[in-house]
Amino acid sequence: MADAGEFTIENRPPANATHEAAAIARPKVAVDTVLFAVGGRGLECYLLQLASGPNAGKWAFAGGLVRVGETLDGAARRALRDASALTDAYLEQLFSFGDPSRDPTSHVVSVAYMALIDNPKRVGAASAKYSGGRWFAAGDLPELAYDHSLMAGYAVARLRAKLEYTNIACALLPPSFTFAELEEVYAAVLERPLDRRNFRRRIMAMDLLRRTPEQRRGAHRPAALYAFKHRSVRAIQML
Amino acid sequence: MADAGEFTIENRPPANATHEAAAIARPKVAVDTVLFAVGGRGLECYLLQLASGPNAGKWAFAGGLVRVGETLDGAARRALRDASALTDAYLEQLFSFGDPSRDPTSHVVSVAYMALIDNPKRVGAASAKYSGGRWFAAGDLPELAYDHSLMAGYAVARLRAKLEYTNIACALLPPSFTFAELEEVYAAVLERPLDRRNFRRRIMAMDLLRRTPEQRRGAHRPAALYAFKHRSVRAIQML
DNA sequence: CCAAAAGTGTTGAGTATACACCCATGA
DNA sequence: TCATGGGTGTATACTCAACACTTTTGG
């Protein structure tokens, strides 16, 4: 029930139950954000190198402590902005990790988020907390700080699952795109090739897309451009 | 990255970064546990009446603050034990709720859990934090404290979804049971009747059950008793 | 006219659904 | 013997996967 004003026998404040500052030590709350985009190497994941602390030099996801008065989504958005200058990523809460030993410094409960953007090139400079950042193939991440490898696993699993029953792909694509580009996103995330005809039929049956009047002209036959009918992520009604 | 030893410009400790106790105010972490069982009225949900605090008299789920050194699962288990004397429920983390206004007393981030037991009669006495507890039909809950109505919605949705692709029903059933009882659990959670023949075929195809040598004898034809091959919850491989 | 990517249908297998009667037992 | 819940099979509709050729353009 999450009420700071009530205490069980085993969970009693020092003496003065009404004085907040007198509270006993509590775990802190942080957020960590697993950022994905589809790039040249398929599904890619953005990592930052920690500049200081006991994990200095190790790779990690964008994260930070949650402040009083801040929502979790807000904290995740701020952590992502500080680490990559992104302000408009799709964000979705994944899972909370609370093992007391996950951070050797102190007990920090971390709420993991997944973030999606349509183009890996859109990431910008990181704050001084990080000494650098770069994209890695999602299937081939280096050793990560804290329990961030665990988080990465959760994130990939969630993304894969939601691709099948939501329009989440819209967060990995620009406003308009060709069918081939859409298929590329699915193939990258699912890590398997898809049959072009069956894929087109399946997507069309979901009634997610709107054909735009424009075409993409390139070296060969022009491709029709499509856009998602709804840019907000929602479950697909399967009859 | 959840590192208490690192700070951005906007997130700096007062003066002495190495001294933990000097840290600025942070949100607290709690857990709340949505307990389900299948009973006479279908899917039922256990609520506790808060004994004190600003929400005294309101119904809520079992919950409490997480302690330093405690895992989230451990805290959920403790909250459930304090509220209902249950020690062996199936527990699964659902989602974290962090809106600063969800608890008017202070900023508390709550990690919601779902708990399942095989029989509503197994709940025991609650700690002094609660003035009482009882089961409600899951589809007809009273007004709840905090954001617990939201949590209830998440919990029911998760349970319904997992019934379809995991063996989670094993947590809602005793070690052995008849096919009719299994069907009853599914019908109660999904809130729709199932065709007995199709249901049996589907379950059998999943290869989850083991037929026990015993029979249940009652007023009529005896029923074969089944048990789950695996009592731990796992996803079902759908070919 | 050639290279390269875009676009399009059909068939067969397997899966899901609808549906009704006999069986075994205790009272 | 009857009332009650336990247990079983089939026919049909639908969904999903496999599969190859034609079209359009730029160079």
Side-chain angles (χ1 to χ4, degrees):
Chain A
M1 34 58 62
D3 187 346
E6 300 176 332
F7 301 89
T8 65
I9 290 167
E10 304 165 349
N11 183 8
R12 199 189 300 281
N16 181 352
T18 61
H19 189 219
E20 275 279 345
I24 58 180
R26 291 291 177 191
K28 295 195 246 319
V29 191
V31 290
D32 288 293
T33 301
V34 185
L35 174 61
F36 289 117
V38 174
R41 286 165 303 182
L43 185 67
E44 301 179 1
C45 188
Y46 194 69
L47 294 175
L48 295 136
Q49 203 156 26
L50 297 172
S52 59
N55 278 296
K58 283 207 189 153
W59 294 99
F61 298 117
L65 293 174
V66 177
R67 299 177 187 158
V68 169
E70 188 177 47
T71 63
L72 295 171
D73 289 13
R77 199 162 287 289
R78 178 170 57 82
L80 190 61
R81 178 163 45 75
D82 290 347
S84 62
L86 292 168
T87 58
D88 60 346
Y90 168 76
L91 269 180
E92 173 173 327
Q93 193 194 113
L94 283 177
F95 198 78
S96 296
F97 297 84
D99 190 305
S101 62
R102 60 177 292 283
D103 184 330
T105 314
S106 71
H107 189 171
V108 178
V109 172
S110 181
V111 184
Y113 276 78
M114 167 172 77
L116 305 177
I117 56 171
D118 60 6
N119 187 341
K121 302 206 175 87
R122 286 185 43 221
V123 303
S127 75
K129 176 171 174 177
Y130 307 105
S131 55
R134 57 166 277 225
W135 291 96
F136 289 80
D140 188 28
L141 299 181
E143 198 195 342
L144 300 182
Y146 311 107
D147 51 3
H148 285 197
S149 299
L150 240 188
M151 288 185 188
Y154 270 72
V156 171
R158 173 78 66 94
L159 177 57
R160 256 182 216 153
K162 292 200 84 160
L163 210 56
E164 313 260 22
Y165 68 92
T166 70
N167 63 342
I168 200 168
C170 71
L172 290 166
L173 283 161
S176 77
F177 47 87
T178 66
F179 236 98
E181 289 163 343
L182 179 63
E183 188 183 326
E184 206 182 324
V185 165
Y186 272 77
V189 175
L190 299 176
E191 279 185 305
R192 64 181 150 92
L194 299 171
D195 180 88
R196 206 188 325 160
R197 289 162 292 186
N198 293 338
F199 178 73
R200 179 183 286 255
R201 192 178 15 248
R202 247 179 52 210
I203 295 291
M204 284 311 198
M206 293 178 181
D207 192 35
L208 297 178
L209 301 185
R210 176 168 59 77
R211 182 163 177 169
T212 71
E214 290 90 43
Q215 290 191 324
R216 162 101 18 111
R217 307 189 75 83
H220 301 291
R221 175 172 175 176
L225 284 174
Y226 292 83
F228 279 92
K229 284 186 177 172
H230 308 281
R231 299 281 301 172
S232 61
V233 174
R234 53 187 67 187
I236 293 153
Q237 66 296 353
M238 310 275 198
L239 217 289
Chain B
M1 38 53 67
D3 187 347
E6 300 177 331
F7 300 89
T8 65
I9 291 167
E10 306 164 348
N11 183 9
R12 201 189 298 282
N16 181 353
T18 60
H19 189 219
E20 275 278 344
I24 59 178
R26 292 292 177 191
K28 294 195 246 321
V29 192
V31 291
D32 287 294
T33 302
V34 185
L35 174 61
F36 290 116
V38 174
R41 288 165 303 183
L43 184 66
E44 300 179 2
C45 187
Y46 195 68
L47 294 175
L48 295 136
Q49 202 156 27
L50 297 172
S52 59
N55 278 297
K58 283 206 189 157
W59 293 100
F61 298 117
L65 293 174
V66 177
R67 298 176 187 158
V68 169
E70 187 177 47
T71 63
L72 294 172
D73 288 13
R77 200 162 287 288
R78 179 172 55 83
L80 190 61
R81 177 164 46 73
D82 289 348
S84 62
L86 292 168
T87 57
D88 59 346
Y90 167 75
L91 268 180
E92 172 173 325
Q93 193 194 114
L94 284 177
F95 198 77
S96 295
F97 297 84
D99 191 304
S101 62
R102 60 177 293 282
D103 185 330
T105 314
S106 71
H107 190 173
V108 178
V109 172
S110 181
V111 183
Y113 276 78
M114 167 172 77
L116 305 177
I117 56 171
D118 61 6
N119 188 341
K121 302 209 174 86
R122 285 184 45 220
V123 302
S127 74
K129 175 171 174 176
Y130 306 104
S131 56
R134 54 166 279 225
W135 291 95
F136 290 80
D140 188 27
L141 299 181
E143 196 195 344
L144 300 182
Y146 312 106
D147 51 4
H148 285 197
S149 299
L150 240 188
M151 289 184 187
Y154 270 72
V156 171
R158 172 79 66 95
L159 177 56
R160 259 186 212 147
K162 292 200 85 160
L163 210 55
E164 314 261 23
Y165 68 93
T166 70
N167 62 343
I168 200 169
C170 71
L172 290 166
L173 284 161
S176 75
F177 48 86
T178 66
F179 237 99
E181 289 163 343
L182 178 63
E183 188 183 325
E184 205 181 326
V185 164
Y186 272 78
V189 175
L190 300 176
E191 280 186 304
R192 65 179 151 92
L194 299 170
D195 179 89
R196 207 191 322 163
R197 289 162 293 185
N198 294 337
F199 177 73
R200 179 184 287 256
R201 191 176 17 245
R202 246 179 51 210
I203 297 290
M204 285 310 199
M206 292 177 182
D207 192 36
L208 297 178
L209 302 185
R210 175 168 60 77
R211 182 161 177 169
T212 71
E214 290 91 43
Q215 291 190 324
R216 161 94 27 102
R217 308 190 73 84
H220 301 293
R221 173 173 176 175
L225 285 175
Y226 293 83
F228 280 91
K229 284 187 176 170
H230 309 281
R231 299 280 302 170
S232 61
V233 174
R234 56 185 68 186
I236 293 153
Q237 66 297 353
M238 308 276 198
L239 216 294

